[in-house]
Amino acid sequence: MTSHDGTLRVLSTSDLAGIDISLADVVETVEGAYRTLHAGRSDNPRKLTVKPEDGHSVSYAMLGRDGTRDVVAVKTSYKHGLDKSRDQQHYFTTLTLYDDVTGLPVAMMDCSRVGSLRTPAVSALIARECARPGARSALVIGTGTQGRLALPFLLTTLPGLERLMVFGTHAGGIAAVRDQLGAHFPDRDVEIVTDVRAAASDADVIVATAGAHTPAAVESAWLKPGALSILVGHGLAPSTLHRADRVIATSEAQMQVTGTDMADAEGGLRAVDAEFPPVLAGQTAGRRHAEERIFAYNSGLVVTDIALGHRFAQLAVARGLGTEVALWT
Protein backbone atom coordinates (compact mmCIF):
# COMPACT_ATOMS: atom_id res chain seq x y z
CA MET A 1 0.00 0.00 0.00
CA THR A 2 3.01 2.30 0.29
CA SER A 3 3.78 4.91 -2.35
CA HIS A 4 6.69 4.52 -4.73
CA ASP A 5 9.98 5.95 -3.53
CA GLY A 6 9.96 9.72 -3.95
CA THR A 7 6.18 10.06 -4.24
CA LEU A 8 3.38 10.69 -1.78
CA ARG A 9 -0.29 9.76 -2.15
CA VAL A 10 -2.40 12.78 -1.20
CA LEU A 11 -5.99 12.13 -0.16
CA SER A 12 -8.20 15.19 -0.31
CA THR A 13 -11.39 15.98 1.54
CA SER A 14 -13.43 14.86 -1.47
CA ASP A 15 -11.43 11.61 -1.82
CA LEU A 16 -12.22 10.66 1.76
CA ALA A 17 -15.82 11.84 1.61
CA GLY A 18 -16.60 9.21 -1.01
CA ILE A 19 -15.41 6.28 1.10
CA ASP A 20 -18.10 4.26 2.84
CA ILE A 21 -17.17 2.98 6.29
CA SER A 22 -19.60 1.62 8.86
CA LEU A 23 -19.88 2.97 12.38
CA ALA A 24 -19.06 -0.52 13.70
CA ASP A 25 -15.86 -0.58 11.59
CA VAL A 26 -14.83 2.78 13.04
CA VAL A 27 -15.52 1.65 16.61
CA GLU A 28 -13.59 -1.59 16.09
CA THR A 29 -10.61 0.27 14.58
CA VAL A 30 -10.49 2.83 17.38
CA GLU A 31 -10.91 0.18 20.07
CA GLY A 32 -8.05 -1.80 18.55
CA ALA A 33 -5.80 1.26 18.71
CA TYR A 34 -6.53 1.69 22.43
CA ARG A 35 -5.90 -1.97 23.19
CA THR A 36 -2.58 -1.95 21.32
CA LEU A 37 -1.50 1.16 23.19
CA HIS A 38 -2.38 -0.39 26.54
CA ALA A 39 -0.43 -3.51 25.59
CA GLY A 40 2.68 -1.35 25.20
CA ARG A 41 2.99 -1.91 21.46
CA SER A 42 2.19 1.66 20.39
CA ASP A 43 3.58 5.09 21.24
CA ASN A 44 1.51 8.19 21.94
CA PRO A 45 3.75 11.04 23.19
CA ARG A 46 2.30 14.19 24.68
CA LYS A 47 1.11 16.70 22.08
CA LEU A 48 2.88 19.97 21.46
CA THR A 49 0.81 23.14 21.66
CA VAL A 50 1.31 26.67 20.38
CA LYS A 51 -1.14 29.43 21.29
CA PRO A 52 -0.56 33.19 20.92
CA GLU A 53 -0.99 35.43 23.93
CA ASP A 54 -4.31 36.85 22.74
CA GLY A 55 -5.69 33.34 22.15
CA HIS A 56 -6.94 33.96 18.60
CA SER A 57 -5.54 30.63 17.36
CA VAL A 58 -4.27 27.29 18.61
CA SER A 59 -1.98 24.75 16.97
CA TYR A 60 -1.12 21.16 17.87
CA ALA A 61 1.50 18.71 16.62
CA MET A 62 1.14 15.01 17.46
CA LEU A 63 3.51 12.15 16.68
CA GLY A 64 2.70 8.49 17.21
CA ARG A 65 3.27 4.91 16.20
CA ASP A 66 0.73 2.09 15.78
CA GLY A 67 2.36 -1.20 16.74
CA THR A 68 -0.31 -3.39 15.15
CA ARG A 69 -0.20 -1.70 11.77
CA ASP A 70 3.52 -0.85 11.92
CA VAL A 71 2.75 2.73 10.95
CA VAL A 72 4.33 5.98 12.12
CA ALA A 73 2.40 9.20 11.62
CA VAL A 74 2.38 12.92 12.30
CA LYS A 75 -0.83 14.88 12.79
CA THR A 76 -1.04 18.66 12.69
CA SER A 77 -3.99 20.75 13.76
CA TYR A 78 -4.45 24.51 13.33
CA LYS A 79 -7.52 26.52 14.29
CA HIS A 80 -7.75 30.26 13.71
CA GLY A 81 -10.39 32.75 14.79
CA LEU A 82 -11.17 31.46 18.26
CA ASP A 83 -12.14 35.02 19.16
CA LYS A 84 -14.70 35.14 16.34
CA SER A 85 -18.01 33.50 15.52
CA ARG A 86 -18.05 29.97 14.12
CA ASP A 87 -18.54 31.07 10.51
CA GLN A 88 -15.38 33.21 10.70
CA GLN A 89 -13.14 30.46 12.05
CA HIS A 90 -10.68 28.42 9.99
CA TYR A 91 -9.60 24.88 10.82
CA PHE A 92 -7.02 22.76 9.02
CA THR A 93 -5.74 19.35 10.09
CA THR A 94 -3.57 16.82 8.28
CA LEU A 95 -2.25 13.32 8.89
CA THR A 96 0.87 11.92 7.22
CA LEU A 97 1.45 8.17 7.49
CA TYR A 98 4.66 6.18 6.95
CA ASP A 99 5.06 2.40 6.69
CA ASP A 100 7.55 1.41 9.40
CA VAL A 101 8.35 -1.89 7.68
CA THR A 102 9.21 -0.63 4.18
CA GLY A 103 10.28 2.84 5.33
CA LEU A 104 8.12 4.42 2.63
CA PRO A 105 5.27 6.94 2.91
CA VAL A 106 1.70 5.64 2.87
CA ALA A 107 -0.34 8.81 2.41
CA MET A 108 -0.98 12.37 3.48
CA MET A 109 -4.62 13.22 4.07
CA ASP A 110 -7.05 15.81 5.30
CA CYS A 111 -7.70 14.57 8.83
CA SER A 112 -11.04 16.29 9.37
CA ARG A 113 -13.21 13.26 8.53
CA VAL A 114 -10.95 10.98 10.57
CA GLY A 115 -11.40 13.30 13.56
CA SER A 116 -15.14 13.67 13.03
CA LEU A 117 -15.48 9.88 13.27
CA ARG A 118 -12.76 9.02 15.78
CA THR A 119 -13.92 11.36 18.55
CA PRO A 120 -17.58 10.27 18.77
CA ALA A 121 -16.42 6.65 18.48
CA VAL A 122 -14.24 7.14 21.56
CA SER A 123 -17.14 8.77 23.43
CA ALA A 124 -19.31 5.80 22.49
CA LEU A 125 -16.68 3.37 23.81
CA ILE A 126 -16.45 5.36 27.05
CA ALA A 127 -20.24 5.18 27.32
CA ARG A 128 -20.19 1.43 26.72
CA GLU A 129 -17.66 0.91 29.50
CA CYS A 130 -18.79 3.58 32.00
CA ALA A 131 -22.53 4.22 31.62
CA ARG A 132 -24.75 2.91 34.38
CA PRO A 133 -26.31 -0.51 33.73
CA GLY A 134 -29.57 -0.14 31.80
CA ALA A 135 -28.85 3.41 30.64
CA ARG A 136 -31.85 4.61 28.65
CA SER A 137 -31.39 8.34 27.96
CA ALA A 138 -28.66 10.41 26.32
CA LEU A 139 -28.18 14.14 25.88
CA VAL A 140 -25.78 15.63 23.32
CA ILE A 141 -24.83 19.27 23.79
CA GLY A 142 -23.70 20.93 20.57
CA THR A 143 -24.50 20.33 16.90
CA GLY A 144 -21.14 20.97 15.27
CA THR A 145 -18.88 18.40 13.66
CA GLN A 146 -18.59 16.27 16.81
CA GLY A 147 -22.21 16.57 17.85
CA ARG A 148 -23.70 15.38 14.60
CA LEU A 149 -22.49 11.80 14.86
CA ALA A 150 -22.55 11.49 18.64
CA LEU A 151 -25.97 9.83 18.82
CA PRO A 152 -25.43 7.31 15.97
CA PHE A 153 -22.20 6.17 17.62
CA LEU A 154 -23.84 5.98 21.05
CA LEU A 155 -26.57 3.77 19.60
CA THR A 156 -23.89 1.57 18.05
CA THR A 157 -22.39 0.74 21.46
CA LEU A 158 -25.51 1.25 23.61
CA PRO A 159 -28.43 0.02 21.48
CA GLY A 160 -30.71 0.06 24.52
CA LEU A 161 -30.90 3.85 24.62
CA GLU A 162 -34.51 5.00 24.31
CA ARG A 163 -34.64 8.77 24.80
CA LEU A 164 -32.26 10.72 22.55
CA MET A 165 -31.90 14.46 23.22
CA VAL A 166 -29.85 17.23 21.69
CA PHE A 167 -29.33 20.85 22.66
CA GLY A 168 -28.05 23.27 20.03
CA THR A 169 -28.30 26.89 19.03
CA HIS A 170 -27.74 26.59 15.25
CA ALA A 171 -30.68 25.56 13.06
CA GLY A 172 -28.37 24.11 10.43
CA GLY A 173 -26.58 22.01 13.02
CA ILE A 174 -29.83 20.68 14.45
CA ALA A 175 -30.95 19.70 10.95
CA ALA A 176 -27.63 17.94 10.40
CA VAL A 177 -28.06 15.98 13.65
CA ARG A 178 -31.46 14.78 12.46
CA ASP A 179 -30.05 13.88 9.03
CA GLN A 180 -27.16 11.86 10.46
CA LEU A 181 -29.38 9.97 12.88
CA GLY A 182 -31.86 9.23 10.11
CA ALA A 183 -29.11 8.01 7.79
CA HIS A 184 -27.80 5.47 10.29
CA PHE A 185 -30.91 4.71 12.35
CA PRO A 186 -33.95 5.61 10.22
CA ASP A 187 -36.36 4.23 12.83
CA ARG A 188 -35.11 6.56 15.57
CA ASP A 189 -35.81 10.24 16.23
CA VAL A 190 -34.14 12.88 18.34
CA GLU A 191 -35.80 15.26 20.77
CA ILE A 192 -34.62 18.86 20.45
CA VAL A 193 -34.47 20.33 23.96
CA THR A 194 -34.28 23.95 25.06
CA ASP A 195 -34.17 23.44 28.83
CA VAL A 196 -30.65 22.11 29.39
CA ARG A 197 -31.11 21.67 33.12
CA ALA A 198 -34.23 19.55 32.76
CA ALA A 199 -32.69 17.46 30.00
CA ALA A 200 -29.44 16.94 31.92
CA SER A 201 -31.34 15.87 35.04
CA ASP A 202 -32.94 13.01 33.08
CA ALA A 203 -29.87 11.93 31.08
CA ASP A 204 -27.92 8.79 31.92
CA VAL A 205 -25.24 9.85 29.43
CA ILE A 206 -24.28 13.43 28.53
CA VAL A 207 -21.83 14.16 25.72
CA ALA A 208 -20.77 17.82 25.62
CA THR A 209 -19.37 18.72 22.20
CA ALA A 210 -20.34 22.39 21.88
CA GLY A 211 -18.11 25.30 20.95
CA ALA A 212 -16.71 27.78 23.43
CA HIS A 213 -19.60 30.21 23.01
CA THR A 214 -22.36 27.77 24.00
CA PRO A 215 -24.81 29.03 26.64
CA ALA A 216 -24.95 25.51 28.10
CA ALA A 217 -23.02 24.82 31.30
CA VAL A 218 -24.37 21.73 33.04
CA GLU A 219 -23.72 21.78 36.78
CA SER A 220 -22.97 18.76 38.93
CA ALA A 221 -26.06 19.41 41.08
CA TRP A 222 -28.27 18.87 38.04
CA LEU A 223 -27.05 15.33 37.42
CA LYS A 224 -28.94 12.31 38.65
CA PRO A 225 -27.18 9.49 40.48
CA GLY A 226 -25.30 7.26 38.06
CA ALA A 227 -24.96 9.89 35.34
CA LEU A 228 -21.97 9.77 33.00
CA SER A 229 -20.75 13.14 31.67
CA ILE A 230 -18.31 13.05 28.74
CA LEU A 231 -16.53 16.27 27.83
CA VAL A 232 -15.31 16.66 24.25
CA GLY A 233 -15.63 20.41 23.76
CA HIS A 234 -17.77 22.65 25.95
CA GLY A 235 -21.13 22.46 27.71
CA LEU A 236 -20.21 21.17 31.17
CA ALA A 237 -19.44 23.39 34.16
CA PRO A 238 -16.25 22.68 36.16
CA SER A 239 -18.37 21.29 39.01
CA THR A 240 -19.10 18.17 36.95
CA LEU A 241 -15.38 17.38 37.14
CA HIS A 242 -14.59 18.50 40.68
CA ARG A 243 -17.66 16.95 42.32
CA ALA A 244 -17.63 13.71 40.35
CA ASP A 245 -17.41 10.42 42.22
CA ARG A 246 -14.96 9.15 39.63
CA VAL A 247 -12.89 10.79 36.88
CA ILE A 248 -11.78 9.01 33.71
CA ALA A 249 -9.54 10.54 31.02
CA THR A 250 -8.32 9.23 27.70
CA SER A 251 -5.01 10.81 28.73
CA GLU A 252 -4.32 12.59 32.01
CA ALA A 253 -1.35 14.40 30.45
CA GLN A 254 -3.49 15.77 27.62
CA MET A 255 -6.21 16.77 30.04
CA GLN A 256 -3.66 18.87 31.92
CA VAL A 257 -2.85 20.68 28.65
CA THR A 258 -6.25 21.12 27.01
CA GLY A 259 -8.64 20.99 29.98
CA THR A 260 -7.60 24.18 31.73
CA ASP A 261 -11.05 25.74 31.23
CA MET A 262 -12.34 23.18 33.75
CA ALA A 263 -10.00 24.42 36.50
CA ASP A 264 -11.39 25.32 39.91
CA ALA A 265 -11.16 28.74 41.57
CA GLU A 266 -7.54 28.05 42.52
CA GLY A 267 -6.65 27.09 38.94
CA GLY A 268 -6.34 23.37 39.62
CA LEU A 269 -7.83 20.30 37.96
CA ARG A 270 -9.29 17.31 39.78
CA ALA A 271 -6.99 14.28 39.77
CA VAL A 272 -7.82 11.49 37.33
CA ASP A 273 -8.86 8.19 38.95
CA ALA A 274 -8.20 6.09 35.84
CA GLU A 275 -7.14 6.48 32.24
CA PHE A 276 -9.36 4.92 29.61
CA PRO A 277 -6.97 2.43 27.92
CA PRO A 278 -6.70 0.19 31.02
CA VAL A 279 -10.45 0.55 31.56
CA LEU A 280 -11.09 -0.68 28.01
CA ALA A 281 -8.64 -3.52 28.52
CA GLY A 282 -10.48 -4.60 31.67
CA GLN A 283 -7.54 -3.93 33.96
CA THR A 284 -9.21 -1.02 35.78
CA ALA A 285 -12.87 -0.55 36.60
CA GLY A 286 -14.66 2.12 34.64
CA ARG A 287 -17.71 2.20 36.90
CA ARG A 288 -17.60 0.73 40.40
CA HIS A 289 -21.30 0.98 41.25
CA ALA A 290 -24.53 2.08 39.60
CA GLU A 291 -25.04 5.28 41.56
CA GLU A 292 -21.70 7.03 41.13
CA ARG A 293 -21.51 10.10 38.92
CA ILE A 294 -18.64 9.77 36.48
CA PHE A 295 -16.85 12.53 34.57
CA ALA A 296 -14.90 11.46 31.47
CA TYR A 297 -12.51 13.65 29.50
CA ASN A 298 -12.22 12.70 25.82
CA SER A 299 -9.25 14.58 24.39
CA GLY A 300 -8.42 12.04 21.70
CA LEU A 301 -5.15 10.17 21.20
CA VAL A 302 -3.14 10.33 18.00
CA VAL A 303 -2.89 6.53 17.87
CA THR A 304 -6.63 6.46 17.15
CA ASP A 305 -6.16 8.94 14.29
CA ILE A 306 -3.32 6.78 12.95
CA ALA A 307 -5.36 3.58 13.03
CA LEU A 308 -8.44 5.13 11.45
CA GLY A 309 -6.38 7.15 8.95
CA HIS A 310 -4.57 3.97 7.91
CA ARG A 311 -7.93 2.23 7.51
CA PHE A 312 -9.09 5.05 5.22
CA ALA A 313 -5.83 4.84 3.26
CA GLN A 314 -6.39 1.11 2.74
CA LEU A 315 -9.91 1.75 1.43
CA ALA A 316 -8.71 4.64 -0.74
CA VAL A 317 -5.94 2.62 -2.36
CA ALA A 318 -8.37 -0.23 -3.06
CA ARG A 319 -10.55 2.26 -4.94
CA GLY A 320 -7.69 4.00 -6.70
CA LEU A 321 -8.35 7.31 -4.98
CA GLY A 322 -5.82 10.04 -4.32
CA THR A 323 -3.13 11.90 -6.23
CA GLU A 324 0.48 10.78 -6.44
CA VAL A 325 2.76 13.78 -5.84
CA ALA A 326 6.48 13.58 -6.65
CA LEU A 327 7.38 15.38 -3.44
CA TRP A 328 10.88 13.99 -2.97
CA THR A 329 12.09 13.82 -6.56
Side-chain angles (χ1 to χ4, degrees):
M1 190 177 74
T2 55
S3 302
H4 296 297
D5 195 14
T7 66
L8 178 67
R9 182 183 295 268
V10 176
L11 298 171
S12 68
T13 304
S14 57
D15 288 330
L16 297 173
I19 296 175
D20 290 327
I21 186 169
S22 69
L23 301 184
D25 191 346
V26 174
V27 170
E28 181 181 359
T29 301
V30 171
E31 181 172 0
Y34 270 106
R35 291 185 181 277
T36 303
L37 177 65
H38 177 70
R41 293 159 49 204
S42 293
D43 297 293
N44 194 102
R46 185 170 178 169
K47 67 172 66 175
L48 298 176
T49 308
V50 174
K51 191 172 186 179
E53 190 173 333
D54 64 2
H56 74 271
S57 70
V58 64
S59 309
Y60 300 109
M62 292 148 276
L63 171 68
R65 185 182 188 280
D66 185 312
T68 296
R69 297 170 179 269
D70 285 319
V71 172
V72 172
V74 179
K75 178 184 177 181
T76 63
S77 176
Y78 172 66
K79 191 167 188 177
H80 181 276
L82 298 178
D83 55 340
K84 298 179 173 61
S85 62
R86 182 182 300 182
D87 60 346
Q88 294 180 292
Q89 294 179 359
H90 300 286
Y91 179 58
F92 301 100
T93 179
T94 62
L95 181 70
T96 307
L97 300 142
Y98 302 90
D99 189 315
D100 202 30
V101 175
T102 66
L104 296 175
V106 175
M108 178 180 183
M109 66 184 68
D110 168 27
C111 200
S112 57
R113 189 177 181 205
V114 170
S116 71
L117 292 169
R118 173 265 283 162
T119 303
V122 173
S123 293
L125 284 168
I126 293 173
R128 188 189 74 188
E129 299 298 322
C130 300
R132 66 178 299 164
R136 56 165 290 276
S137 57
L139 167 65
V140 173
I141 299 173
T143 60
T145 300
Q146 299 302 332
R148 295 172 187 184
L149 278 170
L151 289 173
F153 271 108
L154 283 175
L155 286 172
T156 301
T157 60
L158 292 178
L161 290 173
E162 299 171 0
R163 186 183 184 192
L164 308 176
M165 300 173 281
V166 67
F167 171 82
T169 57
H170 299 275
I174 291 172
V177 167
R178 288 191 183 279
D179 290 344
Q180 288 289 347
L181 183 61
H184 294 283
F185 293 91
D187 60 329
R188 302 301 300 270
D189 195 13
V190 60
E191 177 184 344
I192 309 303
V193 300
T194 55
D195 188 336
V196 177
R197 180 168 187 165
S201 68
D202 185 62
D204 294 308
V205 180
I206 300 173
V207 183
T209 73
H213 301 295
T214 181
V218 172
E219 294 286 353
S220 175
W222 304 355
L223 304 177
K224 68 180 183 179
L228 167 66
S229 303
I230 304 172
L231 184 62
V232 177
H234 300 269
L236 299 178
S239 63
T240 57
L241 164 64
H242 295 282
R243 297 179 186 172
D245 297 310
R246 188 160 175 80
V247 175
I248 309 290
T250 49
S251 166
E252 184 171 16
Q254 288 194 11
M255 180 173 162
Q256 294 294 329
V257 174
T258 59
T260 53
D261 57 317
M262 296 294 284
D264 60 17
E266 287 72 44
L269 290 176
R270 161 79 180 275
V272 170
D273 295 299
E275 291 192 317
F276 187 57
V279 169
L280 189 59
Q283 180 179 320
T284 303
R287 172 177 292 275
R288 297 167 300 181
H289 58 80
E291 299 298 296
E292 66 180 347
R293 295 181 179 90
I294 297 177
F295 173 93
Y297 190 81
N298 178 4
S299 60
L301 299 180
V302 73
V303 289
T304 59
D305 294 286
I306 295 171
L308 191 54
H310 189 259
R311 181 75 179 115
F312 269 109
Q314 289 175 317
L315 296 171
V317 169
R319 294 185 54 180
L321 298 174
T323 304
E324 293 285 344
V325 178
L327 185 61
W328 295 290
T329 59

